[in-house]
Amino acid sequence: MTFKIGDLSKIASTKVVTIRYYEKLGLLSKPLRTSGNYRIYSEEQKDRLCFIRRCRNLGFSLDQVRELLDLSSQKNQKCIEIDKIAGEHLLAIEQKTRDLNRLAHELRKINLSCQGGGRIENCRIIEALSPGQSI
Amino acid sequence: MTFKIGDLSKIASTKVVTIRYYEKLGLLSKPLRTSGNYRIYSEEQKDRLCFIRRCRNLGFSLDQVRELLDLSSQKNQKCIEIDKIAGEHLLAIEQKTRDLNRLAHELRKINLSCQGGGRIENCRIIEALSPGQSI
DNA sequence: CTTAATGTCTATACCTACTATAGGGTCAAG
DNA sequence: CTTGACCCTATAGTAGGTATAGACATTAAG
């Protein structure tokens, strides 16, 4: 079973240009070509792309994905490194979530204090974001 | 009271290059110069930079910041527009928070399944990230 | 006064993770 | 045999900066 780039595009929900971009970065190995110079991909390459996309959807950077791919090919090594990458990523996400929650809270306050009927001179949004305030 | 670019950099926790970048984008007006061609900033310009940074920290895009700055300079406008911008932003943030929460939840599950003691060939993280899995 | 360290200047290139576009070539169906 | 969908390469653009080079300005110490 082989695939053209458009097939992979659908399977992995990835733009065609993005697949070529991954190849250029070396995340995907160079595929075989047809006589007409079309890329043809193996199952394995398809799986690798899906892995990459799955990681990306989970918020891993391409560098992290690269590490995970490298690590996952060294099957005899301990998986503590992998655990570390995933753990750090989780911490970063949790931090980000906290920040966003704080931010949403502030915006909700702003929206409440500005019901659209007033003038800007009375609008607290500018005030709220001005220096010296601690929202 | 005037400031050199390095002062502003510290006050607003912004890299010097970034301040110049904002100037190039027209978000900050061109400051006066010393005889030695150093930029000198007024209080007002300092406040404007702080406002920009504050908005950025709250997740507004530079385009949105520009909008807010424009609006805030026309004090007679109704604040319905500001309300709209903030409201749109709030929605986006809430969506993002939901996404991140989902993501953190998945990662937590994955992390729990692998305590780093095993071998990569058996690593549940890699397993979970591989295609065909539904973690 | 000099010297060294630091700060600042302009200009350009680079970063991530793609996306868009131009100008072509390939292939299968009707 | 032509039409349309697909594919190719190459280049440039996006946001929001960051990094670097090479030169000039300022400041503190000796």
Side-chain angles (χ1 to χ4, degrees), chain B:
Chain B
M1 186 71 180
T2 59
F3 310 88
K4 279 189 293 180
I5 200 167
D7 304 329
L8 252 62
S9 171
K10 273 165 210 140
I11 292 170
S13 307
T14 310
K15 297 238 160 74
V16 163
V17 277
T18 305
I19 298 174
R20 292 196 281 248
Y21 171 69
Y22 288 162
E23 180 185 328
K24 208 170 105 189
L25 294 187
L27 283 168
L28 292 173
S29 58
K30 289 190 188 289
L32 297 172
R33 300 288 183 124
T34 66
S35 55
N37 203 31
Y38 281 19
R39 287 167 175 84
I40 36 174
Y41 295 93
S42 66
E43 289 272 357
E44 211 174 312
Q45 286 174 306
K46 180 207 71 182
D47 288 348
R48 194 176 167 99
L49 174 61
C50 289
F51 180 86
I52 294 170
R53 292 307 289 180
R54 191 121 183 144
C55 289
R56 294 288 301 130
N57 285 339
L58 285 171
F60 289 96
S61 73
L62 286 182
D63 268 355
Q64 288 174 314
V65 175
R66 202 188 302 270
E67 267 187 274
L68 288 171
L69 284 168
D70 286 355
L71 285 170
S72 73
S73 68
Q74 300 156 20
K75 294 211 183 294
N76 274 346
Q77 295 291 315
K78 295 208 165 151
C79 73
I80 191 166
E81 299 206 40
I82 282 177
D83 192 52
K84 191 163 146 271
I85 294 174
E88 283 168 2
H89 205 64
L90 182 54
L91 283 180
I93 285 165
E94 284 169 343
Q95 181 59 54
K96 205 165 186 172
T97 308
R98 273 195 299 277
D99 289 349
L100 281 180
N101 277 332
R102 223 182 354 88
L103 203 153
H105 181 65
E106 282 191 47
L107 273 174
R108 245 173 256 123
K109 276 203 304 199
I110 291 173
N111 265 31
L112 279 179
S113 72
C114 174
Q115 294 301 332
R119 304 261 160 200
I120 285 173
E121 58 190 335
N122 301 318
C123 180
R124 300 278 295 278
I125 292 176
I126 293 298
E127 238 175 80
L129 291 173
S130 291
Q133 304 300 316
S134 61
I135 36 177

Side-chain angles (χ1 to χ4, degrees), chain A residues 5-120:
Chain A
I5 200 166
D7 303 330
L8 251 63
S9 172
K10 273 164 211 141
I11 292 170
S13 306
T14 310
K15 297 237 161 71
V16 163
V17 277
T18 305
I19 298 174
R20 291 196 282 247
Y21 171 70
Y22 288 161
E23 181 185 328
K24 207 169 105 187
L25 294 187
L27 282 168
L28 292 173
S29 58
K30 289 190 188 290
L32 296 173
R33 299 291 183 122
T34 67
S35 56
N37 203 29
Y38 282 20
R39 286 168 177 84
I40 36 173
Y41 295 94
S42 65
E43 289 272 357
E44 211 173 312
Q45 286 174 308
K46 181 208 71 184
D47 287 348
R48 194 175 168 98
L49 174 61
C50 289
F51 182 90
I52 293 169
R53 294 307 288 179
R54 184 146 180 93
C55 290
R56 293 289 302 130
N57 285 339
L58 286 170
F60 289 95
S61 72
L62 285 183
D63 267 355
Q64 288 174 315
V65 175
R66 201 188 302 270
E67 264 190 278
L68 287 172
L69 283 168
D70 285 355
L71 287 168
S72 71
S73 68
Q74 299 158 22
K75 299 208 182 297
N76 270 348
Q77 298 297 312
K78 291 205 167 147
C79 73
I80 195 161
E81 279 298 319
I82 287 173
D83 196 50
K84 191 161 148 268
I85 295 173
E88 281 169 4
H89 185 51
L90 179 56
L91 283 181
I93 286 168
E94 284 168 344
Q95 180 59 54
K96 211 165 184 173
T97 307
R98 275 195 297 277
D99 287 350
L100 280 178
N101 280 332
R102 255 196 306 106
L103 199 153
H105 179 67
E106 290 316 319
L107 279 174
R108 248 174 251 123
K109 277 203 308 202
I110 285 167
N111 261 32
L112 280 178
S113 76
C114 175
Q115 290 299 335
R119 304 261 161 196
I120 283 179

